[in-house]
């Protein structure tokens, strides 16, 4: 034992620690280690069995090395003695993962590596108390390292394997250090360095003793240097808040710190508190701006006449947005809050109440003798409203006019009875009536055979009908007074298209619209007789 400690003192620190670890494996002090190591005779001649237990109450989360199993080992068994949320992991001594490496948990199964088949089991029965296990018949062509992935306190692992009692020294590649970090701040990369060491003693030996074919390639690992200084990350200015006139623009200013610099030059950074960048040196985030002088509103026309001849209406005027160079632009280029009114209400006083009448019916109600022609009269105000018939001033226009269809002496004519009830309560329906052939002799009527009236157009006995509004017609007022008493003037009247319910409509036939203006008093003007002659006066034509 004293010789071993002398050998430790002659080695560099990393080698000494490795050798000390090996010595502790062989000669654990009483109560000093959380696992034990035993060697016993094997049933196979020339082999010895190595056994051990690993147990610790608390560890940091992650991978923890349990034991190194050398090349040539056989009958390998690694078993969790208590079921837990921890995992077993296996790695070659050159750093190649076999089972559950790089924080990836493999599915249970058979793994072929280092010259043998390794069986990885993980009982998943709820009632099972068995933990994970790794077994292999061997022999191993390369030494392996057994790890525990710690997640739950109180791990318990038992292991054993057989190896030759007088085995020749074996050598393997192991990590010995690394190059300098690629960056002076933040996280960079450095290369891992490898040495050839004795598998059992972990003492560094000449490189030619290790298999050159198994020498690991250079590997890069993350390395953390001192923190990088924080800096202000300044964004681009935003567009000006106004397209013309004084406005403002903004930009984002963030305090950042580089955490990782990659080999290709790209960086990873995080946002940190502004105090790390120095708040007094913070770049401005707001700045005044002006793209151009704003356009102005210009009134281009006077107010139009009121839209109605009486009552409440509206009038309009033209207002445009003009640039400082006089060009008309879109309204959005001017301040919409300052735009002058383009629409205004106007009140021309109360509208007169006027009588409106439809046109007289085209035919006389009688084929001969006296009959009637009819029309409809309504009282309207404000162009729309219909009033009770007693609301209009003046006498109500006549709605019936007498007409004479000629003598009825010794004349055959058709007589029509009243129309029957409409077959539909609304919309288009059908109604019928009776007809008879009459012989009229100066008002004396006699019903005769209908064949005698066959030479006359027979009145229809059926027609469509509608009980509710279903049509429109033209209505007119009385003609106004002529604008001149002689030499030709004009008079006007209002013309409206109304439904049967006296509601304005635009469905009347324009070609049948009555005239709203006509000439009147076209006779020439005649000088008044007896009027004294005027001196130095001009003739005024009316």
């Amino acid at each position: 034992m004293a010789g071993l400690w002398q050998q430790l003192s002659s080695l560099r620190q990393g080698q000494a620690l490795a050798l000390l670890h090996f010595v502790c494996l062989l000669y654990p002090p009483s109560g000093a280690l959380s696992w034990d190591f035993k060697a016993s005779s094997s049933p196979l001649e020339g082999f010895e069995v190595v056994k051990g237990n690993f147990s610790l109450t608390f560890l940091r989360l992650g991978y923890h090395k349990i034991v190194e199993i050398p090349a040539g080992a056989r009958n390998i068994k690694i078993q969790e003695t208590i079921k837990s949320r921890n995992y077993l992991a296996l790695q070659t001594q050159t750093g190649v993962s076999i089972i559950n490496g790089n924080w990836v948990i493999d599915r249970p199964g058979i793994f072929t590596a280092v010259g043998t088949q390794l069986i990885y089991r993980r009982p998943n029965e709820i009632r099972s108390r068995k933990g994970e296990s790794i077994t292999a018949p061997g022999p191993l062509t390369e030494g392996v390292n057994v790890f525990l992935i710690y997640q739950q306190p109180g791990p318990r692992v038992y292991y054993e394997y057989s190896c030759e009692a007088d085995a020749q020294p074996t050598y393997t590649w192991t990590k010995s250090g690394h190059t300098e970090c690629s960056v002076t701040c933040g996280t960079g990369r450095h290369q891992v360095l490898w040495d050839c060491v004795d598998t059992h003693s972990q003492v560094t030996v000449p490189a030619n003793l290790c298999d050159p074919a198994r020498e690991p390639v250079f590997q890069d690992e993350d390395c953390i240097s001192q923190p990088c200084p924080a800096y202000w990350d300044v964004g681009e200015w935003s567009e000006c808040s106004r397209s013309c006139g004084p406005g403002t623009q903004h930009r984002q200013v963030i305090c950042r710190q580089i955490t990782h610099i990659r080999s290709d030059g790209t960086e990873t950074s995080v946002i940190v508190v502004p105090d790390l960048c120095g708040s007094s040196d913070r770049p401005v985030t707001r700045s005044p701006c002006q793209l151009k002088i704003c356009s102005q509103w210009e009134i281009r026309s006077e107010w139009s006449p009121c839209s109605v001849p009486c009552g409440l209406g509206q009038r309009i005027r033209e207002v445009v947005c003009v640039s400082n160079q006089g060009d008309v632009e879109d309204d959005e280029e001017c301040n919409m809050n300052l735009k002058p009114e383009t629409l205004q209400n106007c009140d021309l006083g109360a509208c007169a109440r006027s009588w409106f009448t439809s046109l007289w019916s085209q035919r006389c109600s009688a084929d001969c003798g006296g009959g009637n022609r009819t029309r409809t009269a309504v009282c309207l105000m404000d162009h729309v409203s219909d009033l009770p018939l007693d609301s209009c001033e003046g006498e109500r226009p006549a709605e019936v006019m007498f007409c004479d269809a000629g003598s009825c002496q010794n004349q055959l004519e058709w007589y029509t009875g009243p129309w029957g009830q409409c077959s539909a309560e609304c919309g288009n329906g059908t109604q019928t009536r009776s007809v008879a052939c009459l012989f009229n002799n100066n008002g004396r009527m006699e019903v005769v055979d209908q064949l005698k009236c066959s030479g006359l157009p027979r009145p229809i006995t059926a027609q469509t009908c509608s009980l509710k509004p279903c049509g429109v017609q033209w209505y007119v007022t009385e003609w106004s007074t002529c604008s001149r008493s002689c030499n030709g003037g004009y008079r006007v009247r209002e013309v409206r298209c109304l439904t049967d319910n006296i509601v304005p409509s635009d469905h009347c036939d324009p070609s049948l619209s009555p005239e709203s203006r006509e000439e009147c008093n076209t006779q020439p003007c005649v000088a008044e007789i007896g009027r004294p002659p005027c001196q130095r006066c001009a003739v005024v034509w009316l």
Side-chain angles (χ1 to χ4, degrees), residues 25 65-74 76-78 89-99 111-118 134-136 138-147 159-161 170-173 199-200 202 214:
L25 286 173
K65 191 173 181 180
I66 295 177
V67 65
E68 297 175 1
I69 300 178
R74 303 168 182 264
I76 300 160
K77 179 180 179 182
I78 306 157
L90 207 61
Q91 184 188 67
T92 68
Q93 291 182 347
T94 56
V96 178
S97 173
I98 301 175
I99 299 174
F111 297 78
T112 301
V114 292
T116 188
Q117 286 188 333
L118 300 114
I134 300 174
T135 58
L140 304 183
T141 59
E142 179 182 351
V144 295
N145 296 327
V146 181
F147 290 86
Y159 63 88
E160 71 176 42
Y161 61 88
T170 57
Y171 308 100
T172 187
W173 296 101
T199 305
H200 296 288
Q202 294 295 305
R214 295 180 176 272

Side-chain angles (χ1 to χ4, degrees), residues 225-238:
S225 184
Q226 63 180 349
C228 292
Y231 66 96
W232 290 113
D233 185 8
V234 181
E236 296 291 333
W237 284 109
S238 67

Side-chain angles (χ1 to χ4, degrees), residues 38-57:
K38 297 179 180 179
S40 62
S41 299
S42 170
L44 298 176
E45 186 176 355
F47 282 82
E48 65 178 0
V49 178
V50 180
K51 299 179 181 180
N53 289 288
F54 175 85
S55 63
L56 273 177
T57 304

Side-chain angles (χ1 to χ4, degrees), residues 108-237:
I110 298 175
F111 297 78
T112 301
V114 292
T116 188
Q117 286 188 333
L118 300 114
I119 302 174
Y120 173 42
R121 293 186 178 90
R122 184 191 308 137
N124 56 5
E125 295 84 3
I126 296 177
R127 296 181 179 178
S128 173
R129 295 189 177 184
K130 290 185 178 181
E132 293 193 347
S133 67
I134 300 174
T135 58
L140 304 183
T141 59
E142 179 182 351
V144 295
N145 296 327
V146 181
F147 290 86
L148 174 75
I149 305 177
Y150 176 80
Q151 295 189 114
Q152 179 179 334
R156 299 285 189 275
V157 180
Y158 168 80
Y159 63 88
E160 71 176 42
Y161 61 88
S162 299
C163 61
E164 294 182 12
D166 300 317
Q168 294 295 322
T170 57
Y171 308 100
T172 187
W173 296 101
T174 188
K175 295 180 182 178
S176 62
H178 50 74
T179 61
E180 291 185 1
C181 196
S182 61
V183 296
T184 57
C185 68
T187 302
R189 302 285 288 178
H190 61 199
Q191 287 186 341
V192 178
L193 301 178
W194 299 86
D195 280 346
C196 180
V197 297
D198 184 287
T199 305
H200 296 288
S201 66
Q202 294 295 305
V203 175
T204 302
V205 296
N208 58 2
L209 294 178
C210 285
D211 185 357
R214 295 180 176 272
E215 183 177 2
V217 296
F218 288 110
Q219 295 180 351
D220 284 347
E221 291 181 341
D222 285 344
C223 52
I224 301 176
S225 184
Q226 63 180 349
C228 292
Y231 66 96
W232 290 113
D233 185 8
V234 181
E236 296 291 333
W237 284 109

Side-chain angles (χ1 to χ4, degrees), residues 74-370:
R74 303 168 182 264
N75 301 328
I76 300 160
K77 179 180 179 182
I78 306 157
Q79 173 73 56
E80 262 192 309
T81 59
I82 297 177
K83 187 176 181 179
S84 69
R85 289 185 289 105
N86 301 318
Y87 295 91
L88 297 174
L90 207 61
Q91 184 188 67
T92 68
Q93 291 182 347
T94 56
V96 178
S97 173
I98 301 175
I99 299 174
N100 295 343
N102 300 319
W103 292 103
V104 176
I105 304 303
D106 296 312
R107 295 173 63 87
I110 298 175
F111 297 78
T112 301
V114 292
T116 188
Q117 286 188 333
L118 300 114
I119 302 174
Y120 173 42
R121 293 186 178 90
R122 184 191 308 137
N124 56 5
E125 295 84 3
I126 296 177
R127 296 181 179 178
S128 173
R129 295 189 177 184
K130 290 185 178 181
E132 293 193 347
S133 67
I134 300 174
T135 58
L140 304 183
T141 59
E142 179 182 351
V144 295
N145 296 327
V146 181
F147 290 86
L148 174 75
I149 305 177
Y150 176 80
Q151 295 189 114
Q152 179 179 334
R156 299 285 189 275
V157 180
Y158 168 80
Y159 63 88
E160 71 176 42
Y161 61 88
S162 299
C163 61
E164 294 182 12
D166 300 317
Q168 294 295 322
T170 57
Y171 308 100
T172 187
W173 296 101
T174 188
K175 295 180 182 178
S176 62
H178 50 74
T179 61
E180 291 185 1
C181 196
S182 61
V183 296
T184 57
C185 68
T187 302
R189 302 285 288 178
H190 61 199
Q191 287 186 341
V192 178
L193 301 178
W194 299 86
D195 280 346
C196 180
V197 297
D198 184 287
T199 305
H200 296 288
S201 66
Q202 294 295 305
V203 175
T204 302
V205 296
N208 58 2
L209 294 178
C210 285
D211 185 357
R214 295 180 176 272
E215 183 177 2
V217 296
F218 288 110
Q219 295 180 351
D220 284 347
E221 291 181 341
D222 285 344
C223 52
I224 301 176
S225 184
Q226 63 180 349
C228 292
Y231 66 96
W232 290 113
D233 185 8
V234 181
E236 296 291 333
W237 284 109
S238 67
E239 294 183 358
C240 194
S241 61
R242 299 189 59 187
S243 58
C244 67
T248 55
Q249 58 184 165
H250 302 266
R251 66 179 177 182
Q252 192 176 40
V253 176
I254 300 173
C255 183
R256 290 187 180 274
Q257 188 176 35
I258 295 175
T259 59
H260 199 112
I261 303 176
R262 301 179 184 84
S263 58
D264 59 0
T266 58
E267 301 173 348
T268 299
S269 63
V270 295
I271 299 175
V272 295
V273 295
D275 293 343
L276 295 180
C277 290
S279 300
S280 60
D281 298 331
R282 183 174 184 176
V284 295
T285 60
R286 178 175 177 175
S287 174
C289 57
Q290 179 170 333
L291 299 178
K292 63 178 180 179
I293 300 174
C294 286
S295 302
Q296 301 293 329
W297 294 109
E298 183 179 290
I299 300 174
R300 288 287 182 94
S301 69
E302 298 295 332
W303 287 109
S304 68
C306 197
S307 60
V308 295
C310 62
L312 292 175
Q314 291 183 322
R315 58 182 183 174
I316 60 173
R317 66 179 175 181
E318 184 183 10
V319 177
V320 295
C321 179
V322 180
S323 68
N324 62 333
Q325 297 179 352
D327 299 325
V328 177
E329 298 184 332
D330 294 336
D331 284 2
E332 289 74 14
E333 296 297 324
C334 287
N335 188 340
M336 298 298 293
N337 295 327
L338 301 179
K339 184 177 182 179
E341 287 184 333
T342 59
L343 186 66
Q344 190 179 71
N345 292 334
C346 49
D347 187 357
L348 297 184
C351 293
R353 301 170 180 175
S354 303
W355 287 106
F356 282 73
T357 59
S358 64
L359 301 182
W360 289 107
S361 57
Q362 296 291 324
R363 295 180 58 187
C364 190
S365 61
D367 292 332
C368 65

